[in-house]
Amino acid sequence: SPDRLATKISEQWQTWDSMRELWKRDKEEIRKYVYATDTSKTSNSSLPWKNKTTVPKLCQIRDNLYSNYTATLFPQRKSMIWEANEKDANSKRKREAISNYMAWAIDQPGFKHEIDKIILDYIDFGNAFASVEWIDDRVLQKDGVTKAGFVGPGIRRFNPLDIAFDPTADHFERAPKIIRSTISLGQLKEILERLSNDENREEYENLWNYLREIRSNAMKWTGEWAERDNLYQMDGFTSFQEYLMSDSVEILTFYGDLYDVDNDVFLKNHVITVVDRHKLIGKKPNPSYFGTPPIYHVAWRKKPDNLWGMGPLDNLIGMQYRIDHIENMKADIFDLVTYPVQKVKGYVEDFTWQPGEKIFVSEEGDVDLVTPDVNVLQSDQAISIYMEIMEVMAGAPREAMGFRTPGEKTKYEVQSLENAASRVFQNKIKQFEEQMVEPLLNAMLELARRNLTGVSTIKVFDDEFKTASFQSLTVEDITGIGRIKPVAARHFAEQSQLVQNLSNLAQSPIFQLLAPHTSSVNLAKAFEKMFNVEDFEIFLPWVGLAEQAEAQKQSQAYQEQVLQATSTASGMGEDFDMPPMSGAMMQEQLMQQQGIQ
């Protein structure tokens, strides 16, 4: 007994999902090449070569991009700022409270784990999707005591294969979208119990009994299933009956605007949940203050008329195919040279192909070797050229791997060339930060505003005094009109350029005019932040002068000890408070004194 609105959402899922069939096949081929151990699992398997070696260049490019993206996005503990849009939200206390709360939230292990998967989607699929969720890791024990755990906002990554939307829409934020998820029966029961209240408890109990009954009937039924349409063809299952006999439950969650034909109602900005592709289990307005679903999308290479973007590996599949083709062809030629084909003419007795073997032939018989053209073996240079081109086209310059480009360069020319060569990389990571990280952080803050109750205690690390403390916050402390702005990736190249400019300025004659107006303390703080060495406490205000004073104090103390020891008569050492010193000890102290001076 299907619900009409539920089946309409299911049909919409199938329509949008079928529009990207070619895209899914292309992504499947990329993933096969990334995880391939030989060519038998790739499209190269159709080639008639005996050798099946694959050169994992595509996988290496993926790992290189992933390593550089993660290192650039979160290089420091606090890589974000709060920009207020009203006077009350711009106070120092408000900025510190919001920054400390968000720094505490992203410092949780779950955040970094999910952001890593989102970055890999950005590289593998060229499209990454994520949302936010409220996490409560507290555990109620048997004695009624609640075990402490993280309670706060987190992020949730969506597999690009489990989300469907209209790819021709103008903006992803406004486009209706459907997210597919698979849960267990126990999780479904927990969801229904959480959604039920005094008004709809009976309705949800009847729905649960219905879902259990159709599964029970599917297990008992021994006849043939007449599939009248493909509406109930579940992804990952051979038939709808097999799906019902499993412990899995498919959930389709619709976000956006939808017209309900039966009730003649336009459902604007709603969240509608469908189970088994034909039953509604939830229909409510979107509770977010933003007015749009908190689901965010970023594409690596954008398309003007299609929201599904391209990835950095899409255009490199053909070159990976070519590299494997040449490598295996070369290996087969090596085999033919080592074990050449034998051409037997006339009558020849059986023989074993080995050194010193005698071959007996008739008058017209002969044995000859068919040797291939060995010029094909000179293909290593072609493979190297292809690999270098792939590296550049993926937006990861060779300097990112620690290799310098050819040619002699001056002291600062290397830095300038590296910054210029990394512009594609900088653009793509900046794009990810602006379109994915920044919306997620603001959505996390909005979610905390809606769900935080009472007083929350967070751990705060003081960068100035290098100490950790605990701060109590309420929902009013983190409420303000403004936005969280991450600044890690955007300042990554700027900081590198700033170090180079400051170094050039320090060697310029004009710096003598600027020196009286330069703060050495702030300059030290700038270098500490750019070099990311806060934990080592290298740059502290006037710490060099303090250490010099301490060195002079210790030097004077050692000099007094040496003078006292040298002026003592033989046998009179016991009259002094200091124990008698041997010649070796005196020599060691003199050496220490000279070293300090």
Side-chain angles (χ1 to χ4, degrees), residues 399-415:
E399 284 79 1
M401 299 177 58
F403 295 99
R404 280 189 59 184
T405 53
E408 294 296 330
K409 301 176 181 63
T410 60
K411 185 175 181 181
Y412 300 107
E413 188 180 0
V414 176
Q415 187 68 43

Side-chain angles (χ1 to χ4, degrees), residues 329-550:
M329 179 180 63
K330 184 182 65 174
D332 281 355
I333 296 297
F334 266 117
D335 292 343
L336 289 174
V337 172
T338 308
Y339 305 100
V341 176
Q342 303 167 9
K343 182 178 71 174
V344 180
K345 179 181 178 182
Y347 175 75
V348 178
E349 295 185 4
D350 294 337
F351 63 93
T352 302
W353 184 252
Q354 62 184 4
E357 177 72 9
K358 293 182 178 181
I359 305 175
F360 297 95
V361 300
S362 63
E363 294 181 356
E364 298 179 355
D366 190 15
V367 176
D368 195 7
L369 301 180
V370 181
T371 305
D373 188 0
V374 295
N375 292 326
V376 181
L377 299 179
Q378 301 175 2
S379 57
D380 290 338
Q381 184 177 2
I383 294 178
S384 300
I385 293 174
Y386 282 130
M387 295 174 68
E388 184 175 356
I389 293 175
M390 291 174 67
E391 195 80 39
V392 175
M393 288 184 174
R398 297 187 64 193
E399 284 79 1
M401 299 177 58
F403 295 99
R404 280 189 59 184
T405 53
E408 294 296 330
K409 301 176 181 63
T410 60
K411 185 175 181 181
Y412 300 107
E413 188 180 0
V414 176
Q415 187 68 43
S416 300
L417 291 176
E418 183 176 348
N419 291 338
S422 302
R423 281 173 184 160
V424 174
F425 168 79
Q426 295 165 10
N427 174 264
K428 298 304 180 182
I429 194 62
K430 178 183 176 182
Q431 182 174 285
F432 183 87
E433 188 179 64
E434 292 178 344
Q435 300 179 21
M436 178 58 69
V437 178
E438 182 174 336
L440 282 177
L441 294 180
N442 285 278
M444 289 172 63
L445 185 61
E446 185 269 343
L447 189 64
R449 170 66 181 84
R450 287 192 284 118
N451 292 274
L452 190 63
T453 58
V455 179
S456 178
T457 302
I458 65 173
K459 183 179 179 180
V460 179
F461 189 85
D462 194 318
D463 293 328
E464 182 176 359
F465 298 101
K466 312 302 179 185
T467 58
S469 60
F470 293 91
Q471 181 180 0
S472 298
L473 296 175
T474 62
V475 66
E476 288 77 15
D477 295 328
I478 60 173
T479 301
I481 298 179
R483 65 167 183 161
I484 291 287
K485 182 179 178 181
V487 293
R490 301 175 208 187
H491 288 187
F492 186 78
E494 296 175 7
Q495 289 176 354
S496 179
Q497 187 69 33
L498 181 59
V499 171
Q500 177 184 343
N501 293 338
L502 289 176
S503 300
N504 292 337
L505 180 62
Q507 300 178 10
S508 172
I510 197 175
F511 186 73
Q512 298 178 1
L513 301 176
L514 300 177
H517 310 287
T518 304
S519 171
S520 59
V521 175
N522 292 334
L523 188 62
K525 290 182 179 179
F527 274 91
E528 182 183 39
K529 182 172 294 186
M530 287 186 290
F531 293 154
N532 194 21
V533 291
E534 296 95 333
D535 296 336
F536 298 99
E537 300 184 3
I538 297 176
F539 301 105
L540 296 175
W542 312 117
V543 65
L545 297 180
E547 291 179 353
Q548 290 178 11
E550 181 66 22

Side-chain angles (χ1 to χ4, degrees), residues 80-318:
M80 70 190 80
I81 59 175
W82 165 256
E83 290 186 349
N85 292 337
E86 65 176 4
K87 183 178 180 181
D88 295 339
N90 197 32
S91 64
K92 180 179 179 181
R93 183 178 180 276
K94 179 74 68 175
R95 293 196 305 268
E96 290 181 351
I98 294 177
S99 299
N100 290 336
Y101 183 81
M102 293 305 302
W104 169 75
I106 68 175
D107 197 41
Q108 303 301 317
F111 181 89
K112 297 295 179 63
H113 179 68
E114 287 295 306
I115 206 73
D116 285 347
K117 294 191 290 186
I118 296 173
I119 294 174
L120 289 176
D121 287 341
Y122 187 57
I123 300 171
D124 293 346
F125 294 95
N127 298 268
F129 302 89
S131 183
V132 294
E133 61 180 357
W134 188 254
I135 301 174
D136 190 345
D137 289 337
R138 295 175 297 181
V139 179
L140 183 62
Q141 299 179 344
K142 294 182 180 180
D143 54 1
V145 178
T146 302
K147 185 178 179 181
F150 172 71
V151 180
I155 60 175
R156 178 187 175 190
R157 167 253 184 185
F158 293 127
N159 190 327
L161 299 176
D162 290 335
I163 184 170
F165 53 89
D166 183 6
T168 62
D170 294 335
H171 302 284
F172 177 80
E173 293 181 355
R174 301 291 179 181
K177 53 193 71 73
I178 303 174
I179 296 177
R180 176 183 181 269
S181 57
T182 304
I183 61 176
S184 65
L185 276 172
Q187 291 175 312
L188 176 62
K189 182 175 178 60
E190 191 272 334
I191 292 175
L192 294 178
E193 291 177 350
R194 187 173 67 249
L195 294 175
S196 64
N197 50 44
D198 295 337
E199 297 180 357
N200 58 13
R201 191 175 308 278
E202 183 178 357
E203 177 184 354
Y204 276 107
E205 288 179 355
N206 294 335
L207 175 60
W208 171 249
N209 293 331
Y210 165 79
L211 295 175
R212 290 184 59 191
E213 182 180 359
I214 62 173
R215 281 164 171 76
S216 177
N217 293 337
M219 295 179 183
K220 296 177 183 178
W221 178 253
T222 58
E224 295 182 358
W225 280 61
E227 301 279 355
R228 287 178 293 181
D229 54 40
N230 62 355
L231 179 62
Y232 304 109
Q233 287 288 348
M234 301 296 183
D235 296 340
F237 297 91
T238 57
S239 66
F240 187 62
Q241 181 182 15
E242 180 189 350
Y243 161 76
L244 293 177
M245 294 174 63
S246 68
D247 188 48
S248 301
V249 178
E250 184 196 65
I251 302 292
L252 294 179
T253 306
F254 175 89
Y255 296 88
D257 303 336
L258 187 65
Y259 176 63
D260 187 353
V261 179
D262 293 340
N263 298 318
D264 193 22
V265 177
F266 180 65
L267 304 175
K268 184 174 181 59
N269 194 19
H270 266 59
V271 181
I272 306 174
T273 309
V274 178
V275 62
D276 290 350
R277 298 207 178 181
H278 71 283
K279 276 295 181 182
L280 288 177
I281 62 173
K283 183 176 64 173
K284 62 179 181 180
N286 176 26
S288 175
Y289 293 153
F290 294 149
T292 56
I295 303 173
Y296 306 104
H297 166 237
V298 58
W300 195 86
R301 181 181 289 120
K302 298 181 180 180
K303 297 179 180 179
D305 301 318
N306 191 344
L307 292 178
W308 287 103
M310 292 181 63
L313 308 180
D314 291 16
N315 292 344
L316 306 181
I317 282 290

Side-chain angles (χ1 to χ4, degrees), residues 537-575:
E537 300 184 3
I538 297 176
F539 301 105
L540 296 175
W542 312 117
V543 65
L545 297 180
E547 291 179 353
Q548 290 178 11
E550 181 66 22
Q552 293 178 0
K553 181 179 178 181
Q554 293 293 334
S555 176
Q556 293 175 1
Y558 283 128
Q559 288 179 3
E560 293 177 0
Q561 291 181 7
V562 172
L563 292 175
Q564 187 178 15
T566 55
S567 62
T568 303
S570 176
M572 299 298 291
E574 62 274 8
D575 294 337

